[in-house]
Amino acid sequence: MIILTDEPLDPVAVTDSVRKDGNGAVVTFLGTTRDNFGGKAVTRLEYEAYDVMAIRKLEEVRDSLCADYGIEDIAIAHRTGRVDVGHVSLVVAVASPHRVEAFEACHEAVNRIKTVVPIWKKEWFADGSRWVACEDHEFADETEHHHAHGERHAAAVGDD
Amino acid sequence: MQFDVRLFALYRERAGSSVVTVDVPEDATVGVLSDAVRAMHPRLAPPEVRIVVAVNAEYADDDQALNPGDEVCLIPPVSGGR
């Protein structure tokens, strides 16, 4: 199951889609809107996607991880548009016969999604907004925020 | 060749439009096209930053050749997080 939608996500349905009696472990990751960034209150997130390519890349992530970890199926659902604080923007569900593969594949799936899938996240504050990643490594003409670290944005991975 | 180049997120906002129409020579590569867009919109990205391009919904190298009708998009860095 690969879903890209501007509607609220259903983590239970996404999780159920990968459950099978032959699997003893199910790991589901939820990415949710955090209420702060760098000490500033975040009021909401906004996601924008290049739909056709995003779905293609999500399918590639699923297929390559299924092969790498010997897993039958991985389900991914990503929301677009406005996502308020506490709401879910990403669901990744992995089921496998044993837990180690499920945890690792789920973690790696989120990492890859954040690296290769053309979906962009904008953080909204009371006094403005910024495109995450986009502006971290560029001139700060629309944000005062700057990372001092030397990582490339493509290596930045993790939560929402 | 003329292309309607799609822009997303930060690039869309900086250009003030989700589509930029560019004319490039028949033998133009991805790099030539992205330079042409940047010439039209110098604030799109700093000069030292390479703009990632997708052709027909797949990441493309700067030396890839373009064909008439290709769907070309400029891809800002994706959402990150940790």
Side-chain angles (χ1 to χ4, degrees):
Chain A
M1 171 186 282
I2 300 288
I3 295 174
L4 186 66
T5 177
D6 59 2
E7 299 289 325
L9 302 180
D10 182 347
V12 174
V14 175
T15 303
D16 283 346
S17 77
V18 297
R19 294 186 64 177
K20 293 214 172 68
D21 289 345
N23 292 322
V26 183
V27 171
T28 299
F29 170 87
L30 305 183
T32 59
T33 299
R34 187 180 49 236
D35 70 357
N36 69 90
F37 175 81
K40 291 180 72 174
V42 171
T43 55
R44 68 179 191 272
L45 295 181
E46 182 183 316
Y47 287 90
E48 180 173 331
Y50 174 14
D51 297 38
V52 173
M53 184 171 173
I55 289 169
R56 175 188 285 187
K57 290 295 162 188
L58 289 171
E59 290 171 345
E60 287 179 11
V61 168
R62 175 196 62 197
D63 294 346
S64 66
L65 286 172
C66 283
D68 290 352
Y69 289 89
I71 288 168
E72 279 180 55
D73 195 14
I74 295 174
I76 306 170
H78 207 305
R79 198 165 161 190
T80 57
R82 173 179 174 155
V83 184
D84 289 333
V85 169
H87 288 244
V88 177
S89 53
L90 173 63
V91 183
V92 179
V94 182
S96 68
H98 303 284
R99 68 182 179 279
V100 172
E101 293 78 10
F103 275 117
E104 290 181 357
C106 188
H107 187 195
E108 182 60 19
V110 177
N111 288 351
R112 292 192 195 179
I113 290 165
K114 300 291 186 176
T115 308
V116 302
V117 180
I119 298 175
W120 300 277
K121 174 168 76 176
K122 185 181 224 183
E123 284 174 336
W124 284 88
F125 308 98
D127 61 349
S129 65
R130 70 173 198 120
W131 286 103
V132 179
C134 296
E135 289 165 300
D136 293 350
H137 303 270
E138 288 196 0
F139 46 30
D141 66 335
E142 289 158 51
T143 172
E144 67 286 346
H145 170 74
H146 252 320
H147 278 306
H149 63 72
E151 299 170 79
R152 291 184 52 78
H153 40 70
V157 292
D159 68 2
D160 281 54
Chain B
M1 291 185 289
Q2 186 168 298
F3 294 92
D4 293 329
V5 180
R6 294 178 66 187
L7 308 180
F8 295 94
L10 182 67
Y11 295 161
R12 172 177 54 73
E13 290 188 354
R14 285 185 175 160
S17 172
S18 57
V19 178
V20 172
T21 302
V22 289
D23 249 316
V24 291
E26 293 298 318
D27 60 350
T29 59
V30 165
V32 168
L33 180 142
S34 82
D35 286 347
V37 176
R38 295 174 86 138
M40 296 168 67
H41 295 281
R43 286 184 69 258
L44 217 53
E48 69 275 15
V49 172
R50 176 182 177 259
I51 290 182
V52 174
V53 179
V55 176
N56 300 326
E58 188 55 75
Y59 291 112
D61 292 329
D62 280 348
D63 59 3
Q64 180 174 322
L66 289 166
N67 297 300
D70 281 346
E71 176 172 274
V72 182
C73 303
L74 304 192
I75 307 290
V78 297
S79 70
R82 63 178 167 78

